[in-house]
Structures are given as C-alpha cells and as structure tokens.
Amino acid sequence: MTDWKAYYQNRKQEVETFLAAADETISKVGSPRKTSREGERRIGRPPYDAGAMLKVNLLRILWRKTYRDMAAFLESAPEFRVKLGLTRAVSHDTIHRYAEELSEQYLQRFNDELTRRLKKTSYASSSMPPVSRSKGTQDVGGLPRTGKGSTAKSG
C-alpha cells in the first residue's frame, strides 16, 4: 500500500529544493535576459522577470507539460505563481517566447551550475568535479530551438 501523504510531502520537498537551487543558480550565473537600459521608454506591458520565466520553463520540462498546460496550471495556482516570482498569470505564448530566447550558451552555463549545485552533498564542496559524467544526469531538459539566440557552431 502506497503512503500517499508521504509521497506528497516528498514531491513537495523536491519542488521546493529544485526552486531554491534554481534561484541560487540564477543569482550566480546571472539573468537569462538583459534588463532594459535605465530611462528607456517601453511600449506595452512590463516584461516578466526572466529568472521566473526560466523556472517556469524548467518546471514545464520536468513535469512534461505543454505550454498551454503550464499556463493553465499557473492560472489556477496563484500561490505557486508567487513562489516562482510572477505577479500575474502568464500566457502559453509568453512561456514559449521566453523559451525561444534562451541561448544555448546560457543554458549550458546554467545547467552545469545547477547540476553541480544539486549534486553537492555535505561530504563534497561545490568546487569538486561531479561524481557522474553520464550525459543523462547532466541534462535539465529540452527547449525549442529556432536558431534565435543560439551560439552553436555548425559544421
């Protein structure tokens, strides 16, 4: 018989740990999007926080949700939006647009640091090389590639 209460608590802790590690990694690696220059006039709605949108996309990949499913989830869970750092609901187009803007170079840096952070134990410092060299343990997930923002060389 499955202890669903314990399962729920473990899943909740897993998400909390992941979000804390992602926040720490974003502060270390930097924001995935450059902020607009001071005093620059913008048209339209204010942009969403790039770090929060990165976390939305990472969770979308982790949970294997579509852009529409993730937008619907965030619409129905305002307390979770607050945890992610979002002040208002996000449309599926916005989630997709932020995912497309992420560069391969940024994702590689972020993934390396996040993997190092999540593998860190009380017995090892963060400067130690990762225990596993397996490619499967290093991937955060897949994001759409349209050629925008990609720094990968072809050939």
Side-chain angles (χ1 to χ4, degrees):
M1 176 101 179
T2 304
D3 184 1
W4 290 109
K5 189 173 183 177
Y7 174 80
Y8 172 74
Q9 288 300 321
N10 287 336
R11 286 296 286 178
K12 186 176 177 184
Q13 275 184 328
E14 181 181 321
V15 171
E16 303 275 337
T17 302
F18 181 78
L19 290 177
D23 282 336
E24 185 180 309
T25 304
I26 290 169
S27 67
K28 197 172 203 175
V29 173
S31 178
R33 179 191 260 191
K34 300 217 185 299
T35 56
S36 62
R37 288 174 280 184
E38 200 63 37
E40 183 179 301
R41 187 175 174 159
R42 290 186 292 220
I43 298 173
R45 294 180 183 171
Y48 290 96
D49 177 61
M53 293 304 295
L54 174 63
K55 290 185 284 185
V56 166
N57 273 294
L58 292 174
L59 286 173
R60 181 188 61 78
I61 293 164
L62 180 68
W63 293 338
R64 295 183 177 114
K65 289 185 177 285
T66 65
Y67 294 102
R68 288 181 190 274
D69 290 342
M70 194 66 185
F73 170 74
L74 292 172
E75 178 74 33
S76 66
E79 69 283 347
F80 198 75
R81 280 197 316 257
V82 171
K83 277 186 184 179
L84 291 172
L86 296 170
T87 56
R88 59 191 194 278
V90 184
S91 75
H92 67 278
D93 288 329
T94 304
I95 297 170
H96 186 255
R97 196 173 321 114
Y98 272 85
E100 283 183 328
E101 290 177 2
L102 293 169
S103 71
E104 294 283 344
Q105 183 182 24
Y106 179 82
L107 286 174
Q108 184 64 47
R109 267 193 353 253
F110 182 86
N111 191 33
D112 290 346
E113 187 59 39
L114 182 63
T115 303
R116 187 175 302 115
R117 165 67 177 83
L118 290 174
K119 286 183 178 179
K120 188 168 75 170
T121 66
S122 60
Y123 302 110
S125 73
S126 60
S127 62
M128 289 183 68
V131 174
S132 173
R133 300 282 182 191
S134 169
K135 192 70 172 164
T137 60
Q138 296 175 0
D139 292 336
V140 170
L143 291 170
R145 291 289 145 231
T146 61
K148 293 181 186 176
S150 178
T151 58
K153 294 180 183 177
S154 59

